[in-house]
Structure formats: C-alpha cells, structure tokens
Amino acid sequence: MNFLRGVMGGQQTSGAQQSGTQTIQKLCDRVASATLLDDRRDAVRALKSLSKKYCFEVATQAMDHLINVLQTDRSDSEIIGYALDTLYNIMSNEADETDENQQIASDDLGVQFSETFIKQQDNITLLLSLLEEFDFHVRWPGVKLLTTLLKHQSTQVQQIVLVSPMGVSRLMDLLDDSREVIRNDGLLLLQQLTKSNAAIQKIVAFENAFERLLDIITEEGNGDGGIVVEDCLLLLQNLLKYNNSNQNFFKEGSYIQRMKPWFEVGDDNSGWSAQKVTNLHLMLQLVRVLVSPVNPPGATSSCQKSMFQCGLLQQLCIILMATGVPADILTETINTVSEVIRGSQVNQDYFASVNAPSNPPRPAIVVLLMSMVNERQPFVLRCAVLYCFQCFLYKNQKGQGEIVATLLPSTIDANALSAGQLLCGGLFSTDSLSNWCAAVALAHALLDNATQKEQLLRVQLATSIGNPPVSLLQQCTNILSQGSKVQTRVGLLMLLCTWLTNCPIAVTHFLHNAANVPFLTAQISENLGEEEHLVQGMCALLLGICIYYNDNSLENNTKDKLKQLIEKRIGKENFTEKLGFITKHEFYSKAAQKPQPIFSSPDHMLFDHEFTKLVKELEVVITKAIYKSSEEDKKEEEVKKSLEQHDNIVSHYKNIIREQDIQIEELKQNIASLQTTNEQNQSTMSLQLGQIQQHKDQYNLLKVQLGKDSQHHSSQISCAQLNGFQPEEVSRLKEEIEELKKQQDILQGELSEKNVFIESLQQSRVDGQTDQTTGVSEKSAELQKELETLRSQLHVQSTEINRLQAERMELLQKTEITGSLPASDSPSVNSQSDTKMEQKVAQLLKETASLKEELKNQYEDKSSLKQQLDTAQSTAAILQDETEKLKQELAESKKEQDDLLVLLADQDQKIFGLKKKLKELGEPVEDEDDLESGDAGDEDDLDDDGDDDEDLRD
C-alpha cells in the first residue's frame, strides 16, 4: 500500500524515483496477483492516472489485465469504472496539453489499440453487457469507450453489435436514461453506430428511434435548442439518408407532421444564434433527405404530398418570403422548397400562387428571379434560385406555358414586371453569369414541350429606337456571333439546342437566316485553343440537330445539302471529333451527377444537368445521321411516316378503349346499384314470406281452437238440459229459435250468392284464357274488370262473414249457461285472409298497370312490333300464373265457407235440442209430425247445403 501511495502522489520512497515503465509493470503485477479487492482497485486507479501520460506503455502491458478485471470483478462498480476509463484513455489517445514533454507515437495509435481490443469479439459483447448497469461510473465510461471503438473500427464493431443478441436494443435504452450526460453521449454513440449500415439503421428505426428523437428535440426547444438538438438531427439524417425503408416508415408513422413546428419563425428574425442557424440548417437538410431526387419517385411523391397536406410547404414559403433570415438559411430554404415542389403538380401550383409581402404584392417566382439576374447577390443564392426555377418547371407544362406567356405580345403587361421580362433582361445583360442562368432557365421552360417551343417563335424584341423588332431566336444568334464570353455563348447554345430539338418548325426558322449555317461551320472548322473546344462541340451539336430534325422545307438547307456541306467544309471525322468535345469536358460529368447546380466558382458554371441528358441522347443519333446516305434517309422517313400512322391508329384505339372503359365503369356502377336494390327486395320478400307463413300457422291454430270451442259448447248445452229452465227462459228461447231460423235463411241465401259468384269468376277466368290469342290489350281489360269484381265480392264476403260471426257470438252470450264461452278468433283469421287477398289483388293491379305501359309502348314503336309482341306474350304467361295463384286463394275461401257450414249445422242441432227440451217441459210447441217434418225439412236443407257445397267444390 505504501508503494501505491507513492505512485498516487504520496510520500516518495527513498532513493531515485522509479521510471514509468517499471511502475506500470509493478501495477500490472499487483492487479494480476493481489487477492484483496481493495489492492486491485487501487492498482487499477493508479493505471488510470498514468494512462494519459504513458498511453503506449499502459496499452501494451495492462490491456489484458484490464479486460480480465472487467470479466472477474463485475460485482464492484468502482473498479469496473476505473478499468473502463483506462481503456477509454488508451483508445482515444488524447494528448495532455498541459504537459509539453508528452509525445504521441503516431496518429493511428488509438486505431491500433482498438484493433487489438476487438480481435476478441467477446470483448465487445462484454462491453455491451456492462452498459446494462445503471451505475453512472460504469455506464458513462462504457458509452465513451464503445463510441471511440466505433470511430476507429466502425465496420468491425458494427458487425459484432449486429450479431449480438439484443445488442442494438441495449444501446437504444441509453436514450431513455434520465441523466442527460449519458443520454447525450448515447446520441453520439448511435451516430457512429448507424453510419453506412442499412441493417442497423432499420433496427434502430424499428426500436422507436424516431419517436424518441423527436420527443427530445421538442423537449430541447426545437430550433432554439442546444447542441443536443444538433446531435438528434444528425442521427435522424443517418437513419433516413439513402434508406428507403426507413423513409417509408417515417412517412407512414406521421412523423412528417411533427416537423412543421420546427420552421415556425416570428416577425423579428434578427440576432439568430450560431447554434440556431446550425439546427435550422440541419432541419432543412432532413426535409431534403425525404424528397431528394435520388430517392425512388413513388417515395418522393408521397412525402411531397404529405408535406403539402400538413402545411410544411406553406411554412417553408413563409420563411422564404420573411425578412431578416440569415443568408445561408435563406439559400438552404430555397433549395428545400425546390425539391419539395419538384415534379409535384399540386405543390408547383401552390408555389405559383405564393406572393411576396411587398406593395404591390409580387409573385414569389418574380422576386426570386430578380435575385438570380442581380450580379450583386451571392453566387450560392443565385444558384439556389436557378435550381428552384428548374424544379418549378420540372414536368410542369402548365407552369412552362405561364412563363412563355409572359413573353408573348398579347399577354405582356407594361406596368408589371414579369418572369419573362426578367429572363430576357438577364439573357442580354453584360453579366455572363446572368446570361447563362437566364438561358438555362428559359431552356427549362421549353424542355419536352413542343407547343411552347412554337409559341416562343412569336416573341419579338425591340433592339433600338427606329429599328424593326427582331425575333428572340434571331437575337440569340446575333449575340452568339458577336464573340462574347465562353460562359455566355455556352448558355445561348444550350438554349438553342433545347429549343430546336424535336421541333422542325424552329429548325426551319433557324435555317431561314442565311448567316447561321456559315457561322456554325466556321466555328467548327477552325483550329482554336482548348478554351474554345467546348464552344466548337456545342456548335457541332446544334448543326447536327438542324440535320436530324430537318423536314426539308427549305430547298437550300435540306438534310442532304447540309451533310454535303459538312463533308466538304469540315469532314465527317472532324465533325464527330468536335462533337465529342462536350462529353469529354471536365465539368460535364460533374453536372450529370445531380440535378442541383453546385459549382465551386462562377467560372465552372457551364453545363446544366438536363442538358447533359439531352447530349447523351443526341450524340449517337446525330453521328448516325451524318454517315447515312440519302437512300437510307428516305427509308427512314418512310419508316417514320409509317410509325406516325401506326401511332395515330394506336392513339385512336386508345381513345376508343378509354371511352369504353368509362362506359364499363358506369355499367359496373349501375349493376352494383341494381344488385343492391335486388338484395334489398330479396330481403323484403323473405321477410314478407315469413310473415305470410306465420299468419298461416296462426290461422291453422285458430281453426283447431275453434273446433275445440264448439265441442266444449255442445257439452255445456248438454249439462244445461239436465238442469231445466224457468218459464220466462223458455219464452226467451222460443224467440231466439225464431231469430235463428231467420238467420239461417239469410245465410242460405248468402251461400247461394257466393256459389253464383264463384261460378261466374271461374267462367270469366276460362273465357279470359280462351281470349288470350285475340290480343293482349283485351285480356288486360277483362282481367282488370275481374279483379275489380273480385275485390268487391271479397269485401262483401268479408262483411257477411264478420256479421255472421258477430251474431254467433251474441247468441253464445245470451245463453249464459254455466259459464262464458271464449270468443272465436275466426274473424281475425278471415280478416288476415282478406288482407292477403287484397295484397294479391294489389299486386295484380300493379302488374296490370305495367302491362298497360308495355302496350302503350307497342303502339308508339311500330317498328319493333314483333319484339313487343313477344314481351306481351311473356307478360300474359305471368298473368296466367297469377290467375292460378288466385284460384288457390279461392280454394282457401271455399274451405272457410265449409267451416261456416259446419257451424250452421251445429246451430241446427242446438235448435232441435232446444225444441225437444221445450216439449219435455210441457210448453205448447208444434205437433210431433210438424216437428218431425220440420226436422226432416231441416235435414233436407242441410243435405241441400251439403249438395251445394259439393257442387261448389266440383
């Protein structure tokens, strides 16, 4: 222990001070051999203190002992913390600035030690397990050590973490640590871990990283936060950049909407701190990562749509038009808005409607173009405005038309500054950079739009007072021939090449000026310096376009004559060589990489990204066109014509198919609606059938109950006969007997009438079937009459049956024998049956009405008589089926009449019994013979009723 105190700064031992190497060796021996934990802890603490000054010695001698401590002494957090701090000092190789004598062996010393440490993958696994310890003195140095290892040996450590069980999840838990220093260092660790590793990026994203990081940014104050916000934004960029899966997950998780508050700025934008500028710059870059042109078009389009819907684009436009915003933030905002609207018609239309807060208000596009053609504005800002204008016109034919329209004579407003006037002003200014930017911007207004190329030919410019106006095309060639700067000439040549491509009318206008072709041939054929090689290549490209898209409308400048001119004046090989100067230029490949114009200096601003794509397409076809003979040209023209005819035919059929598709969709919708209606009708019909069946069941049940009531009534009468009657009761019974006889006669007459009605109804049905062949209209009229008669008769029948049942109930009440009898439910049954009958009749009436409508259509449309006749016959068959159904209903009615006859027979039996009882009581009644004759007559009547019933059934 005295030895350790001497090392740690206590009293020095006698004699000379031991050297550092010897001290480290003794400390290592103590760590390896000491049995007491306190001794080992003091030794490791001493190694920690020496690790910065004697980094190499500690690393070479003590690393294995420190790793062994991490494995064996995990129960003591203090010694583990000392060991981790020592390893961190070794790996980081941080020099002690206070000690001038300290020498660093080499810059890659930490890399070598890190490589030695990770040779055993278990060391990284051990380190990951130590990060689960909540103790601050263990977790914090462990986070710093792993971060340093990732800096020195990123790929190897990433692979080990990736295959380690729950390795990434343990590191993600650092973001939830309540101690800010660990959380902040955890952010730095995750930054190193997610660099250039898509697999780890996906795992981190699905560990809810987006939610946690956005929460931290919000807690820290968004853009006004400190360096923690910067670290979170850098980590978000690592997770999203070039990772389509994470970008889609970010969008679907509605995290784009949470970015909107980042860009809410106040009216006073002065005095931005450096950290705020950095934070907002990173936020804008994060938006650009989601809508970058290098992303898949579908992913970019969906993110652009979300940004417009949540108001993020609107917020960016507010920053764009705000005052007091720092220049670099304004530049990055312009670039961000550019990529948010690029290729999105909705976003482009919104951007076109944005106005600057000026008096009078001006469109944002005009304000931006004013900055682009102003040579006093910063170079990067002018490049950003050009990129914004290009993105606004990208795949936006509507916007292209609006820009070109501001140049046409019919739409020019002398009192307002338009985009077209600014472009023309920049095109012919003395600033070469303005010339180039204006030429490229105008070329994008013509890109892939033949209509606007033809419209631009109408533009006339007033050069000077007293001179006639000249066309814009001619003015460009005039400036080109004056020998201005290379940047200006390259810009004008790019404009002319874009203008004349795939536009034979523009080629004719260009060739109509006799001075243009000689100028181009002179430029190509001359032997100039290297700085002019690019101009010669551009002139060769323009002349080749004039050949390839020539419609031979000018006799002096046909394809053959221009090719002969090249062969005589320039030579085909020389022409091809000059044409290749474009793609061989050092700035060509840089411009072809990204759509955004990024240049280190204004002098390097020569090529546009879209123009490089055009050159790539035209170089091959122009070379072939130069070497083709006239016969091959004729064959090619014929092929082109046939292809055009074929394309016209295909377009015609496409239009027909498109129209048919629309009709099919409409029919599908109609079918769907009809199916829905049919399903509703089917359900309604099923419900009605169920109700009918239920009513039938109730009717059968009531019939059974009615039979039981009749038997019970007879038994009660028998019991009453045994009891005897009083004289006044006998007289009352006589009166009731007379009334019952009268009622019986009435019922017999009603039954006869019903029999006659049924026979007439059957006869009318037979007559109707016989007369079907005479004409559909007559049958419809007869059927309607029959239905009317049937409904009236059914009504009479229902009334009579109800009256008869009511009288029966009254008779039962008057008898008052031993108890009251329950009322029969047959009237309700009859009423239900009548209701069914009326429903059937109503249905027949509806069908008859439809039949009348069909007959009316037959008379109106004589040309389709046969078809209408078939329809009428089909309808007649349906009516016949309905008649059969009516017959079944009449059969049911007959059954009900049979039930009534049975009731009448029961009443006759009751009357006979009552008379017999009166005779037994000694009351004056008819003679025995009269009674017997009366009984016989009654029986005959009953027999007649039975015969009538049988006749009715027949």
Side-chain angles (χ1 to χ4, degrees), residues 87-115:
L87 289 173
Y88 170 71
N89 293 337
I90 294 172
M91 307 300 178
S92 62
N93 197 18
E94 294 179 353
D96 190 358
E97 298 179 357
T98 59
D99 190 355
E100 298 179 357
N101 297 325
Q102 184 177 6
Q103 300 292 331
I104 301 176
S106 62
D107 295 336
D108 60 347
L109 191 60
V111 177
Q112 295 176 6
F113 295 151
S114 300
E115 184 178 359

Side-chain angles (χ1 to χ4, degrees), residues 161-222:
V161 173
L162 192 59
V163 299
S164 176
M166 300 297 291
V168 178
S169 299
R170 294 172 182 172
L171 301 180
M172 287 298 299
D173 292 339
L174 299 175
L175 297 181
D176 297 329
D177 200 304
S178 59
R179 295 159 294 192
E180 291 189 1
V181 62
I182 295 180
R183 184 200 65 183
N184 298 342
D185 284 348
L187 289 172
L188 300 177
L189 170 60
L190 291 172
Q191 285 181 27
Q192 297 296 329
L193 181 67
T194 56
K195 280 185 178 179
S196 305
N197 193 307
I200 294 180
Q201 290 170 1
K202 292 179 182 179
I203 296 174
V204 172
F206 282 97
E207 288 285 345
N208 204 22
F210 294 138
E211 184 76 25
R212 297 179 183 182
L213 294 174
L214 292 175
D215 288 341
I216 293 173
I217 292 174
T218 304
E219 292 172 2
E220 295 292 329
N222 294 330

Side-chain angles (χ1 to χ4, degrees), residues 496-535:
L496 291 174
C497 290
T498 305
W499 194 347
L500 270 59
T501 298
N502 202 20
C503 186
I505 298 176
V507 172
T508 302
H509 278 73
F510 181 78
L511 295 177
H512 188 73
N513 188 350
N516 290 338
V517 174
F519 169 75
L520 293 178
T521 55
Q523 288 288 320
I524 298 170
S525 60
E526 289 183 2
N527 293 323
L528 302 175
E530 293 184 0
E531 66 276 2
E532 294 291 332
H533 282 178
L534 179 58
V535 176

Side-chain angles (χ1 to χ4, degrees), residues 606-631:
L606 293 176
F607 287 105
D608 174 57
H609 176 75
E610 294 295 332
F611 179 74
T612 59
K613 295 164 62 175
L614 182 66
V615 171
K616 187 177 180 180
E617 296 175 1
L618 293 177
E619 185 177 11
V620 178
V621 296
I622 289 175
T623 303
K624 291 181 178 180
I626 295 298
Y627 286 95
K628 282 182 180 179
S629 61
S630 59
E631 295 179 356

Side-chain angles (χ1 to χ4, degrees), residues 471-593:
S471 65
L472 177 61
L473 182 65
Q474 184 60 43
Q475 184 64 16
C476 291
T477 56
N478 292 340
I479 297 175
L480 192 62
S481 61
Q482 293 175 1
S484 54
K485 293 182 179 180
V486 174
Q487 191 176 43
T488 300
R489 285 181 289 165
V490 170
L492 291 173
L493 286 169
M494 283 195 297
L495 172 60
L496 291 174
C497 290
T498 305
W499 194 347
L500 270 59
T501 298
N502 202 20
C503 186
I505 298 176
V507 172
T508 302
H509 278 73
F510 181 78
L511 295 177
H512 188 73
N513 188 350
N516 290 338
V517 174
F519 169 75
L520 293 178
T521 55
Q523 288 288 320
I524 298 170
S525 60
E526 289 183 2
N527 293 323
L528 302 175
E530 293 184 0
E531 66 276 2
E532 294 291 332
H533 282 178
L534 179 58
V535 176
Q536 288 183 313
M538 300 287 286
C539 291
L541 178 65
L542 182 58
L543 185 57
I545 292 172
C546 293
I547 295 173
Y548 186 73
Y549 293 102
N550 194 334
D551 59 357
N552 296 325
S553 59
L554 297 177
E555 296 182 0
N556 296 329
N557 290 306
T558 61
K559 285 185 177 182
D560 293 337
K561 291 184 178 181
L562 289 177
K563 287 193 288 186
Q564 293 174 5
L565 180 63
I566 290 175
E567 189 173 1
K568 292 179 181 179
R569 297 283 183 88
I570 304 171
K572 293 181 179 180
E573 292 77 7
N574 190 22
F575 179 85
T576 306
E577 181 184 359
K578 297 295 177 67
L579 184 61
F581 285 164
I582 301 176
T583 55
K584 293 178 182 178
H585 198 276
E586 58 178 334
F587 297 139
Y588 176 86
S589 59
K590 294 181 180 179
Q593 293 175 359

Side-chain angles (χ1 to χ4, degrees), residues 74 84 125-136 138-140 142-143 164-171 173-174 177 179:
R74 293 191 58 176
L84 291 174
T125 306
L126 175 63
L127 187 57
L128 291 174
S129 64
L130 291 174
L131 291 179
E132 294 182 351
E133 298 291 337
F134 188 74
D135 191 283
F136 180 81
V138 176
R139 178 172 280 194
W140 187 39
V143 171
S164 176
M166 300 297 291
V168 178
S169 299
R170 294 172 182 172
L171 301 180
D173 292 339
L174 299 175
D177 200 304
R179 295 159 294 192

Side-chain angles (χ1 to χ4, degrees), residues 672-682:
S673 62
L674 290 175
Q675 288 178 348
T676 304
T677 305
N678 185 29
E679 292 175 357
Q680 294 176 355
N681 293 335
Q682 290 291 341

